[in-house]
Structure formats: C-alpha cells, structure tokens
Amino acid sequence: MTEATAPPFPNFPMPRECPFRPPAQYAELRAERPVSQVTLPSGNSAWVIADYDLVREFLADPRTSANRAHPGYPSVLPRQPVSSQQAKGLLTWMDPPEHTAHRRMVVNEFTAKRVAAMAPHIRAITEDCIEQMLVHSHPVDLVQELSLPVPSRVICELLGVPYSDRELFDKRTVVILNHQSSVEDRMAAWQELRTYLSDLVSAKVQVPEDDLLSRLVKKYQDAGTFDHELLTGLAVALLVAGHETTANMISLGTVFLLRNPDRLAEFKAHPETAGQMVEELLRYFSIADYSTSRVTTADIEVGGVVIPEGSGVIALNSAANNDEKVFTGPEEFDPHRDARRHMAFGYGIHQCLGQSLARLELEIVFTTLFRRIPDLRLAVPAEELSYKHNAAFYGIYEVPVAW
C-alpha cells in the first residue's frame, strides 16, 4: 500500500483541449496514477479514480457516502450551507437504509416496460417541437426549440408539473448547476424552486391527479410515512435530473453528428441502429463526470492506495468510459462497438433512476430530427459554440441551426 501523493496536487476540474473529448490528463492518470489526489477550486484536496475497474469497485463499496452536506464531500462548486431540511428528499444525497426505502417508492415509475409504453407520446412531443422549429425563420436555437422542450415536457407531464411554468424551473436549474453562480444566487434559486414544488405537492394532496407526484403522495400516505418536505425534495431531484442531462446530450449529440457527416449518413441510412448509437454517444461524452462523487466513511484501499476515512473522492466516470482496457480505441466514436458497459449513468445503488427514459428520449429525438430535417446544418462553426465548461453537467448553451 502507498501513502497519499505528496502535494502540490493538480487542479480539478481539468481543462478540455477538445470540447468533444474528456481532459487529456485523464489518460495520464489512468496510465500512471489511477488513484491520486487533486486540488479543488476551494483549495481543498480530494481523491480521483480514473480506472474503469477501480471506479466500479469504489462505487459498489458500502463504506462510501453520497451525502453532499458532509464536510468532506468533494464539491467542485463553492461550498454553501445546506440545512437538513433543504436537503430532505434528495435521493442522490441519501445513503442506505434511507436511500433504499425512498428509491423503492419511485423505481416502479421508471421500469423498462412502463417507459416503453411512453414511446408514442414522446414521439408526438418530438414531432410537435420540430413542427414549431420549422415555422420559424432560421437560424434557430436547437437548445430552446428541441433539446430542452422535449425532456422538459416529458418529465413535466410525468410528474404533473405544469409545462407553462417551465421558464421558472429552467432558469433556476441553470443558476443552480452553473459553477460561476454565486453561493447567494444558487441558494436563492434553490429555495425558489423548492418553494414552487412545495406548493405543487400541496395541490396534489388536495386534488390528486393521474401523475407521478399524486401517486407518490398516495404511496407515502398508505405507508403512513407521508412527509411534505421529503416529497418536495424528491420532486426537485426528479424535475432537475429529468430534463437537464438529456437536453445536454441532445445538443452535444446533434452537433457531433453534424460535424461528422459520414457517421450521420450511416445513421440516416440505418435509423434502426439508434439504440446502439445512443449508447456510444453516452459513453463518448459522459457529461455527468462529477455526479459519481462520494466521501469515505472508513479507510478504503483502492488499487493499492489507502484513502482515509472522511476523504472526498471523485470516481471519474468519463475517465472510466475511456479506459483502453475496456473500450478499444476509446478516443474514436464507434457506433458499432458494444458500449453498454459504460458508466454514463453511474454505477451501484445510485445509478440513474431514469436511464431507460433518457435512452428512449434520445433515440426518438435523433431519429425524428434527422428524418424530418435531413439537411439540418450548424449555422456557426462548432468551435464558436458556447460549451458548458463551467457547469455540473457538460453541454452547450446555444446551438444555432439552419436547413
């Protein structure tokens, strides 16, 4: 076993040299120091794990915590005081047995069978968004016309959130996830979003409807464990996660395919391969690189290195998804490879609850978009786009397109 790497540690997050590829330093870490330490923007140190097998091993270890309020949690955002009340109900912050109990309440809403039944409606939403795109004079912003509206409408209808209020939660979500937002602005946006959803939960208690929030109210009431604040937190987590990540993947995937006409032509000729292409896009971009962060609750040995109790650890799923031992030639986009082993949705007990829904939305959007607008093109060079280097989930702020 080895001791902690001697400081100074490299800064984290690490810069991207190409907007479509992870930081080049990840490959160096995998080869030379797969378990090592970095310096966060706060000045605190944290551990990073860059090897596929070691990332899986660590994320499956019960001696880790996802509690972001823990003082050792490796936040890449400025630390902000979060009360237990404000964090209540956030599944991604919970540990067993609490996490197990509440995930069980929600998981049946996202089974593969239930999600598959949503396909016709998702197609209808996608067609409607594209119809709206086509009536505008172009260029238009793909993000505002398609990338955000499709997953936003889907998750709103599923949860029972009025889509007419999308501006409220879209704007708050951007502030919350932006690394450059001040602590005060993020706290205010967080409280406004939580207040909005708290009022909505109250409405579902009074007048239940045919939606996920109403069903959750009944489940908790029947179990005798209904807690208004907890259900509000669940609603916040599902709403934010349910549209932001998928929207970023739609934007990135579209830009990537438009920049690679051979790959796009192949996909247009064989739209039935959408599922396989989506898996490779998820692996290739791995936009939620920091979501697999944890804090250790005991000394843990990983790859021959002892990580002390109370240490913040970022299990880099983007580095893992580019591990040459698992994915041959990972720097190449290969829609023919079996990419299903990727960890873009995390790994272990906190693996993304809505991954089946995200996959289906991506398949439908890419297939429908390039069928309806086969001559779609970028209105500005890809190099001039504004990429989300400063956000919790990687993506693009605006994508002007024409046809």
Side-chain angles (χ1 to χ4, degrees):
M1 292 183 279
T2 64
E3 296 298 324
T5 305
F9 308 129
N11 291 329
F12 189 91
M14 296 169 175
R16 292 171 181 259
E17 296 177 2
C18 169
F20 301 106
R21 301 302 299 133
Q25 288 169 279
Y26 284 9
E28 298 172 14
L29 291 177
R30 274 196 312 275
E32 300 171 12
R33 294 174 291 124
V35 181
S36 58
Q37 287 182 276
V38 294
T39 300
L40 301 176
S42 63
N44 296 329
S45 65
W47 294 81
V48 292
I49 305 175
D51 176 271
Y52 180 92
D53 292 328
L54 296 181
V55 165
R56 285 168 62 101
E57 175 188 323
F58 178 78
L59 292 176
D61 197 309
R63 298 169 296 173
T64 63
S65 171
N67 181 10
R68 301 184 190 189
H70 190 291
Y73 189 88
S75 177
V76 295
L77 298 172
R79 296 293 295 189
Q80 59 192 62
V82 178
S83 69
S84 58
Q85 196 75 351
Q86 290 171 316
K88 203 169 191 179
L90 301 179
L91 266 178
T92 53
W93 293 40
M94 294 181 189
D95 297 322
E98 183 187 25
H99 174 268
T100 309
H102 295 298
R103 185 174 173 111
R104 188 177 294 129
M105 285 290 200
V106 186
V107 69
N108 286 343
E109 297 284 345
F110 295 95
T111 61
K113 182 178 180 181
R114 192 158 196 159
V115 167
M118 299 170 64
H121 190 53
I122 295 173
R123 288 192 186 94
I125 289 174
T126 304
E127 292 277 3
D128 182 58
C129 289
I130 292 174
E131 285 291 341
Q132 296 301 314
M133 277 181 63
L134 291 171
V135 300
H136 293 313
S137 56
H138 46 80
V140 301
D141 180 11
L142 185 85
V143 174
Q144 294 302 321
E145 298 296 330
L146 187 70
S147 303
L148 270 173
V150 172
S152 293
R153 284 175 61 175
V154 171
I155 197 64
C156 281
E157 292 183 15
L158 181 61
L159 289 174
V161 175
Y163 183 64
S164 57
D165 294 337
R166 64 189 179 280
E167 185 174 348
L168 183 150
F169 60 78
D170 279 347
K171 286 187 175 180
R172 272 63 176 183
T173 298
V174 169
V175 172
I176 291 167
L177 298 178
N178 193 322
H179 290 190
Q180 295 183 336
S181 299
S182 69
V183 171
E184 294 75 19
D185 286 346
R186 287 212 317 279
M187 290 292 289
W190 184 263
Q191 189 56 50
E192 289 165 1
L193 184 57
R194 195 168 180 106
T195 298
Y196 167 77
L197 287 166
S198 176
D199 292 342
L200 187 62
V201 170
S202 295
K204 303 297 182 185
V205 172
Q206 295 298 319
V207 184
E209 299 178 291
D210 183 19
D211 55 54
L212 189 152
L213 285 183
S214 296
R215 290 192 290 273
L216 284 177
V217 167
K218 187 175 189 310
K219 282 184 181 181
Y220 278 104
Q221 287 176 334
D222 290 347
T225 57
F226 177 78
D227 182 320
H228 182 93
E229 288 302 317
L230 186 140
L231 193 50
T232 297
L234 277 175
V236 170
L238 291 169
L239 180 62
V240 172
H243 77 280
E244 178 68 18
T245 51
T246 305
N248 287 330
M249 279 302 305
I250 292 171
S251 300
L252 282 167
T254 300
V255 171
F256 179 81
L257 289 171
L258 291 175
R259 290 184 74 247
N260 291 270
D262 291 345
R263 291 300 187 194
L264 179 56
E266 182 181 8
F267 172 59
K268 288 178 180 177
H270 299 282
E272 71 279 2
T273 64
Q276 196 167 356
M277 185 193 71
V278 163
E279 294 299 335
E280 177 67 348
L281 284 171
L282 288 165
R283 179 200 72 83
Y284 194 77
F285 286 112
S286 304
I287 65 170
D289 200 20
Y290 318 142
S291 64
T292 39
S293 297
R294 302 289 186 269
V295 59
T296 56
T297 59
D299 290 357
I300 300 177
E301 181 182 344
V302 183
V305 177
V306 174
I307 301 178
E309 178 182 355
S311 298
V313 182
I314 304 171
L316 298 168
N317 64 69
S318 180
N321 287 339
N322 283 272
D323 192 329
E324 301 86 346
K325 300 189 303 297
V326 182
F327 303 102
T328 303
E331 69 284 352
E332 296 296 327
F333 179 85
D334 181 5
H336 303 290
R337 81 164 83 240
D338 182 1
R340 291 174 297 176
R341 294 172 293 169
H342 68 72
M343 284 185 276
F345 292 114
Y347 185 74
I349 63 171
H350 285 91
Q351 193 171 43
C352 178
L353 190 67
Q355 58 182 286
S356 294
L357 179 58
R359 285 181 165 102
L360 181 61
E361 289 174 348
L362 292 170
E363 290 176 27
I364 289 174
V365 167
F366 290 132
T367 303
T368 309
L369 175 62
F370 290 112
R371 173 178 56 81
R372 292 294 310 276
I373 315 180
D375 53 348
L376 187 74
R377 68 181 188 277
L378 291 175
V380 300
E383 294 73 21
E384 295 180 11
L385 297 175
S386 179
Y387 295 90
K388 296 184 179 182
H389 296 292
N390 55 354
F393 301 123
Y394 189 61
I396 312 177
Y397 287 107
E398 295 181 6
V399 180
V401 292
W403 49 90

